[in-house]
Amino acid sequence: MIKRLKPADAASYWNLRLEALKRHPEAFLTCYEEAVQRENPLQGVAANLEKEENYTFGAFENGSLIGMVTLLIETREKIKHKANLFAMYVSTEERGKGIGRALLQEAIEKAQALREIEQINLSVVKTNTRASHLYQDMGFRSFGTETKALKLEDVYYDEVHMVLFI
């Protein structure tokens, strides 16, 4: 089951987010250590889930959150035709079941329903070929690579920037 997350889902979201940061630190801008040091993280998550321009979708199985993605609508005048996709994650144990595809489809359909949105942008670590292939299958196309976009300890990671025109 896919649904838009609400403030009541903040704890489930936060726990899955920490799992994502811990298991795949190279895939996210925020690192686990920074995340756990946040003051009142559940309040922050709940506030974000309430924002009008923030659409965070969750995939549930037997009442447990197993996947998530956020579609953030730009609000500044010159870029309000864009949305950004980020914080995409599906629990390791649940991969290969079409959950990521279903989450992406939900986010894309939401963007299509918002008449002002003309494109969705995202960035993916170049070594994450599984995610890159999924994004390509869903119609996203690369428009550039940022070399050494992230540095984790002494290892650099390139990011591929992708867009889907609606």
Side-chain angles (χ1 to χ4, degrees), residues 35-125:
V36 296
Q37 292 176 11
R38 287 189 182 156
E39 199 170 308
N40 301 316
L42 293 182
Q43 289 175 337
V45 169
N48 283 338
L49 294 175
E50 269 189 322
K51 289 182 180 177
E52 190 175 316
E53 67 277 1
N54 179 334
Y55 297 89
T56 298
F57 299 100
F60 289 83
E61 185 173 84
N62 300 323
S64 295
L65 184 64
I66 59 170
M68 60 192 177
V69 67
T70 296
L71 179 73
L72 184 65
I73 309 305
E74 293 288 355
T75 58
R76 293 176 289 172
E77 188 62 33
K78 291 181 182 180
I79 58 172
K80 66 182 184 180
H81 65 288
K82 296 180 185 183
N84 295 291
L85 202 65
F86 65 96
M88 173 79 175
Y89 181 73
V90 175
S91 274
T92 307
E93 301 80 17
E94 304 298 332
R95 294 182 185 164
K97 299 179 181 178
I99 296 164
R101 183 175 299 278
L103 285 164
L104 279 174
Q105 188 62 44
E106 190 76 21
I108 291 167
E109 287 174 9
K110 182 60 186 178
Q112 290 170 330
L114 300 169
R115 301 243 181 246
E116 284 191 320
I117 302 303
E118 298 174 18
Q119 68 187 71
I120 303 171
N121 295 329
L122 65 82
S123 295
V124 61
V125 173

Side-chain angles (χ1 to χ4, degrees), residues 17 20-21 24-30 87-89 123-125 128 150 152 157 159:
R17 177 76 173 154
L21 297 175
H24 301 282
E26 76 289 349
F28 301 98
L29 179 61
T30 302
M88 173 79 175
Y89 181 73
S123 295
V124 61
V125 173
N128 191 347
L150 302 174
L152 181 60
Y157 295 89
E159 277 189 336

